[in-house]
C-alpha cells in the first residue's frame, strides 16, 4: 500500500547548504520509494538574494509538489526567540499549508532546511502514528553539537528547548541532554519511553495527515514559538503531541556555540528546584 508523505520546508538564502539538504531528500527517496512511499514537496522561499529559488525550482521539476517564491522584503532573522520573527514564520508555514489543500497525503512532515536526519526516521514515525491512533504529532530527540552543560556530561544537548513544553507547561532546559524538569518525564527520557507533551518540534516533526486536511490547525505566534500554537490546535481536537527519545535527528552548528554560564546556571537551578519539589509530593 502506497503511503504519501507531504514534506513542508521553508527556505531563504540556503545556497550554501542546498546541496546537502537536497541530497538528503534524494537519499530519502532512494530508500523509501521502493518501499511504497511517495513524496509531495511543499516549499516556500522568500527574499533570497542567491540562487536558492532557481535551484529549488529545477529540483522540483522532476517531482510532485510546488515552490512558492515570494519577494516581500521581509525581515531576515537569526535563530532568536522573538515574537516578530515567529509571526513571520507562522505566516510562511500557513501559506504553504494552505497550498497543500490541493494535494492528498497520509502524513505531513514539517522540517527545517538545516536539519540532519536519516530515512528510517520517517518510517519509524509512520509506524508510531499507525500504531497509536491518539498520537497526532511525533517529534524526535534532536540534538546539537553542543555538550550537555546542565548535566555536565559529554552528551550532545537537546536542540529545540524553546518549543519543548511539558504537560505541566514547564519549558524544557537549554544545553541539556535530558531537557525535562519533572522527575517522571526525566525517568521516561532516560529509559527511552515516548513522552506526551504540551508542545514540541525539534526541527522535524510528523503530523497525522487527516489533522491538517480535516481540521482547522495553524501555526500561531500568539503563545510564543509558532509551533506551540500548532500543537495547541492539535491537542484541542483530542490528539497527543509526542517526543520520542529513541528517534534521532541533528542540528550541526557551523560556528562554535558557547553557552552563557548564567543561562546554564539558571537551568541547573530550575532542575534543583524541580527535584526538591518532589520531596513534598
Amino acid at each position: 500500500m502506497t503511503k504519501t508523505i507531504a514534506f513542508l520546508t521553508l527556505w531563504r538564502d540556503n545556497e550554501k547548504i542546498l546541496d546537502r539538504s537536497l541530497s538528503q531528500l534524494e537519499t530519502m527517496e532512494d530508500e523509501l520509494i521502493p518501499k511504497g512511499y511517495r513524496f509531495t514537496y511543499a516549499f516556500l522561499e522568500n527574499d533570497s538574494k542567491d540562487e536558492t529559488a532557481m535551484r529549488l525550482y529545477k529540483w522540483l521539476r522532476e517531482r510532485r509538489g510546488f515552490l512558492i517564491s515570494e519577494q516581500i522584503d521581509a525581515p531576515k532573522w537569526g535563530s532568536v526567540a522573538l515574537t516578530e520573527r515567529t509571526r513571520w514564520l507562522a505566516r510562511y508555514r500557513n501559506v504553504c499549508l494552505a497550498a497543500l489543500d490541493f494535494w492528498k497525503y497520509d502524513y505531513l512532515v514539517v522540517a527545517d532546511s538545516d536539519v540532519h536526519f536519516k530515512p528510517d526516521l520517517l518510517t519509524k514515525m509512520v509506524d508510531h502514528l499507525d500504531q497509536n491512533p491518539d498520537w497526532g504529532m511525533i517529534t524526535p530527540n534532536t540534538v546539537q553539537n553542543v555538550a550537555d552543560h546542565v548535566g555536565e556530561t559529554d552528551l550532545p544537548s537537546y536542540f529545540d528547548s524553546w518549543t519543548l513544553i511539558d504537560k505541566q507547561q514547564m519549558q524544557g532546559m537549554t544545553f541539556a541532554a535530558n531537557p525535562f524538569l519533572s522527575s517522571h518525564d526525566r525517568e521516561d527520557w532516560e529509559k527511552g519511553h515516548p513522552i506526551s507533551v504540551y508542545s514540541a518540534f525539534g526541527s522535524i516533526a510528523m503530523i497525522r495527515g487527516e489533522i491538517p486536511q480535516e481540521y482547522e490547525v495553524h501555526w500561531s505566534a500568539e503563545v510564543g514559538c509558532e509551533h506551540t500554537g500548532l500543537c495547541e490546535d492539535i491537542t484541542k481536537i483530542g490528539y497527543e503531541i509526542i517526543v520520542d527519545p529513541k528517534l534521532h535527528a541533528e542540528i550541526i552548528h557551523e560556528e562554535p556555540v558557547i553557552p552563557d554560564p548564567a543561562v546554564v546556571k539558571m537551568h541547573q537551578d530550575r532542575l534543583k528546584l524541580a527535584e526538591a519539589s518532589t520531596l513534598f509530593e
Side-chain angles (χ1 to χ4, degrees), residues 149-163:
H149 287 260
V150 172
E152 299 179 344
T153 76
D154 293 328
L155 295 171
S157 57
Y158 180 81
F159 172 66
D160 193 13
S161 59
W162 187 32
T163 315

Side-chain angles (χ1 to χ4, degrees), residues 7-281:
F7 210 98
L8 191 157
T9 300
L10 306 181
W11 308 84
R12 183 172 183 177
D13 290 320
N14 289 120
E15 194 170 27
K16 188 174 180 180
I17 66 167
L18 208 52
D19 284 339
R20 187 205 64 79
S21 297
L22 296 180
S23 176
Q24 181 171 251
L25 296 179
E26 290 165 4
T27 299
M28 175 188 74
E29 292 175 338
D30 290 344
E31 291 195 25
L32 299 188
I33 289 176
K35 296 179 180 179
Y37 288 88
R38 68 174 181 173
F39 297 92
T40 299
Y41 298 98
F43 291 167
L44 186 145
E45 172 279 332
N46 73 282
D47 296 305
S48 292
K49 305 301 182 184
D50 60 14
E51 297 297 315
T52 295
M54 183 57 66
R55 292 190 58 189
L56 289 173
Y57 173 74
K58 289 180 178 178
W59 189 82
L60 283 171
R61 282 192 299 192
E62 300 177 355
R63 292 170 171 85
R64 290 168 45 89
F66 58 84
L67 169 66
I68 300 172
S69 185
E70 299 183 325
Q71 294 297 318
I72 53 178
D73 294 322
K76 191 171 185 179
W77 312 90
S79 183
V80 290
L82 292 176
T83 300
E84 185 65 18
R85 168 181 175 264
T86 58
R87 283 176 179 161
W88 280 100
L89 292 173
R91 175 202 175 273
Y92 301 146
R93 289 191 169 94
N94 288 331
V95 167
C96 221
L97 184 62
L100 270 173
D101 282 347
F102 298 94
W103 303 79
K104 296 296 183 183
Y105 53 91
D106 302 301
Y107 314 90
L108 171 64
V109 169
V110 182
D112 287 340
S113 59
D114 59 346
V115 67
H116 294 245
F117 68 93
K118 295 182 179 179
D120 67 349
L121 171 63
L122 302 190
T123 58
K124 290 174 181 176
M125 285 177 158
V126 166
D127 289 344
H128 278 313
L129 292 183
D130 287 352
Q131 294 166 13
N132 298 276
D134 292 334
W135 293 8
M137 173 172 152
I138 186 166
T139 73
N141 174 13
T142 301
V143 299
Q144 58 185 337
N145 55 331
V146 183
D148 171 25
H149 287 260
V150 172
E152 299 179 344
T153 76
D154 293 328
L155 295 171
S157 57
Y158 180 81
F159 172 66
D160 193 13
S161 59
W162 187 32
T163 315
L164 182 64
I165 302 174
D166 69 15
K167 282 297 197 65
Q168 300 174 55
Q169 297 200 31
M170 294 189 293
Q171 191 168 10
M173 292 184 290
T174 306
F175 306 128
N178 185 333
F180 288 96
L181 285 170
S182 80
S183 59
H184 182 268
D185 288 343
R186 289 183 63 78
E187 183 178 353
D188 280 346
W189 187 264
E190 297 298 335
K191 291 180 177 179
H193 297 166
I195 300 171
S196 181
V197 296
Y198 184 83
S199 168
F201 177 51
S203 281
I204 183 168
M206 180 177 286
I207 303 168
R208 189 178 298 279
E210 60 263 30
I211 292 176
Q213 293 178 107
E214 298 177 10
Y215 299 92
E216 289 293 324
V217 295
H218 300 95
W219 284 270
S220 170
E222 300 307 314
V223 291
C225 178
E226 75 277 12
H227 297 293
T228 300
L230 177 70
C231 291
E232 285 185 344
D233 283 353
I234 292 173
T235 55
K236 283 176 183 176
I237 57 178
Y239 289 99
E240 292 185 76
I241 308 298
I242 300 295
V243 182
D244 190 330
K246 286 187 175 180
L247 301 181
H248 297 286
E250 186 176 10
I251 292 292
I252 301 175
H253 303 289
E254 293 185 2
E255 301 294 331
V257 175
I258 309 299
D260 184 336
V263 172
V264 173
K265 186 177 186 308
M266 177 193 70
H267 289 297
Q268 289 174 332
D269 290 344
R270 292 177 68 211
L271 180 57
K272 290 177 182 177
L273 184 61
E275 290 172 340
S277 68
T278 62
L279 300 176
F280 301 98
E281 292 179 355

